Amino acid sequence: MHPADEHAQKLTLALRKYDLDHLIALLPDLSPSQPKHVLRAHLKFIFEQAQKDKLDLLHPPADFQTWLQEPLKRTRHPEKQAQPNTVHARATLLTRLYRLLQEEGLIQQQPLQGLPRPTVVPTKRLPHPDTVRRLHLQTQPDPALHGALMLIHHLAFTTGELLALEWEHVDFPRNELLRRRTASPLPDAVRQALERLADPQGGPLYASGKVLPYVTDQAFRQALWQASKDANTDLVPPATLRLAGLHANGQQLTSLQAGYIDDRAFEDARAVVAALSLEHQE
């Protein structure tokens, strides 16, 4: 059996059994920046209700979007409803799930096309541009950390993607970086940072294995915390640095180049960034 066929069969079985844990394990691209327990928390009410109603998640009914409105809003407390940001996150994650199933060839059409979602309420503030510049300057003597920040700033990398990035994904002759089944042009700052990282490993054409040395998310965050301390700036979490990068460079990227497998999620992210930018100016 071809590996792709076997993978498709496993996905189908997980969906039929409403086996959310197995499904998440089979789809590492679902949301690389989020821990599995967070993904499970977002989707569990949908899968539990689908199992109770014997709803076929692989072939959802015509009224699927209407049916979703209740489990999307459910919480552990029957008298309470999930906050708009939580509902939005759940809807976005489920849309990504169906986009991946579509790419696997298991479904023909996206059943959540046009799904209504609540407006996201910004909960973060963009860092001041000077804070970002100081952090970039501070990390220049550290090729690994500087390279990581360039990938975040110019290509909206998540920490999960940073840890998973390998040299085989970087095509220096074509000046491209393979990302989510698409090739992103390498901005000059990113290419220069990657070349610095590749030089000790035999150069851009011979480097192999992982691009960055961080084994865990915590190791990367620790390095970022130390750099922020040395630069005498507030600690800016990687997710917020990503938003700052989208604010600065998002207009030059497609959704896939920015790491979003769902066009609507990308537009939502840019809308949040625009709202945060206006808030920052007030």
Side-chain angles (χ1 to χ4, degrees), residues 149-266:
L149 294 187
M150 291 299 98
L151 286 164
I152 292 173
H153 189 70
H154 291 280
L155 292 176
F157 261 59
T158 65
T159 53
E161 291 172 312
L162 291 175
L163 300 182
L165 184 63
E166 298 190 359
W167 285 114
E168 66 181 36
H169 302 148
V170 185
D171 189 334
F172 284 102
R174 294 185 177 182
N175 201 47
E176 293 177 339
L177 186 148
L178 183 63
R179 183 176 191 185
R180 294 190 182 279
R181 304 171 182 85
T182 191
S184 298
L186 283 176
D188 290 342
V190 175
R191 182 185 177 95
Q192 291 167 12
L194 291 176
E195 286 175 341
R196 285 181 67 200
L197 280 166
D199 284 342
Q201 301 185 46
L205 299 181
Y206 300 100
S208 61
K210 298 284 188 183
V211 172
L212 298 170
Y214 310 110
V215 178
T216 64
D217 176 89
Q218 185 58 37
F220 171 63
R221 289 174 185 272
Q222 178 67 27
L224 181 59
W225 174 80
Q226 186 61 54
S228 300
K229 187 177 178 181
D230 294 341
N232 195 28
T233 68
D234 294 332
L235 173 62
V236 183
T240 307
L241 286 175
R242 187 178 189 231
L243 291 177
L246 280 175
H247 178 239
N249 304 294
Q251 297 302 321
Q252 288 78 49
L253 300 172
T254 65
S255 59
L256 287 173
Q257 289 170 346
Y260 290 82
I261 61 174
D262 178 64
D263 290 340
R264 180 165 177 178
F266 182 49

Side-chain angles (χ1 to χ4, degrees), residues 30-69:
L30 184 57
S31 187
S33 64
Q34 292 184 304
K36 290 181 180 179
H37 73 273
V38 174
L39 303 183
R40 192 183 191 286
H42 277 316
L43 296 175
K44 71 173 184 175
F45 293 119
I46 297 162
F47 273 67
E48 288 173 357
Q49 190 63 45
Q51 185 172 17
K52 182 178 178 181
D53 294 345
K54 295 182 172 55
L55 185 145
D56 186 348
L57 288 169
L58 193 56
H59 303 96
D63 63 348
F64 185 43
Q65 292 193 18
T66 301
W67 175 90
L68 272 173
Q69 296 309 310

Side-chain angles (χ1 to χ4, degrees), residues 42-43 45-47 49-50 53 55 57 60-74 87 90-95 97-98 110-117:
H42 277 316
L43 296 175
F45 293 119
I46 297 162
F47 273 67
Q49 190 63 45
D53 294 345
L55 185 145
L57 288 169
D63 63 348
F64 185 43
Q65 292 193 18
T66 301
W67 175 90
L68 272 173
Q69 296 309 310
E70 195 279 328
L72 282 174
K73 298 174 182 176
R74 189 178 299 168
V87 176
R90 291 174 178 177
T92 297
L93 190 61
L94 192 63
T95 302
L97 171 60
Y98 277 106
Q110 167 62 268
L112 299 185
Q113 185 70 36
L115 176 68
R117 307 182 199 180

